[in-house]
Amino acid sequence: MRHLRRIGRASSGGTTTCPVCNGTGEVRQVSRSVFGQFVNIATCNNCSGEGRVVKEPCVPCTGDGRVQGESTIKVAIPAGVSEGNYIRCGARETSAGAGPRR
């Protein structure tokens, strides 16, 4: 994934309070049964728990802040590294981020 400054919005757009969770980042579902009232609290799917959404998402990333792509890098494997081990490749950004910072 290639990151687009991690903002996920057009330069003219900003962020606004999420209309689904009203800025709390979580949604509550209340259900009643014979045993009483139950409240289920979950992370808001619309804003991913951030409480804010992008007003005008950029076209390539649709507001995610990154686009998929490929690149080739050279990695020096030190002697003694076993198969299946992980090697850090410096400060390269990956798709493991939490998405855009809004």
Side-chain angles (χ1 to χ4, degrees), residues 40-51:
N40 183 27
I41 301 173
T43 302
C44 177
N45 288 332
N46 190 47
C47 66
S48 301
E50 292 184 18

Side-chain angles (χ1 to χ4, degrees), residues 14-19 23 47 50-56 102:
T15 59
T16 185
T17 303
C18 177
C47 66
E50 292 184 18
R52 303 195 61 75
V53 291
V54 176
K55 284 182 187 177
E56 297 177 34
R102 299 179 173 136

Side-chain angles (χ1 to χ4, degrees), residues 48-99:
S48 301
E50 292 184 18
R52 303 195 61 75
V53 291
V54 176
K55 284 182 187 177
E56 297 177 34
C58 76
V59 176
C61 72
T62 63
D64 189 36
R66 55 194 178 176
V67 292
Q68 187 170 352
E70 293 183 14
S71 63
T72 302
I73 61 170
K74 290 186 178 186
V75 179
I77 309 292
V81 174
S82 300
E83 184 176 327
N85 287 358
Y86 290 91
I87 298 177
R88 288 192 51 121
C89 295
R92 296 187 60 88
E93 293 192 34
T94 65
S95 63

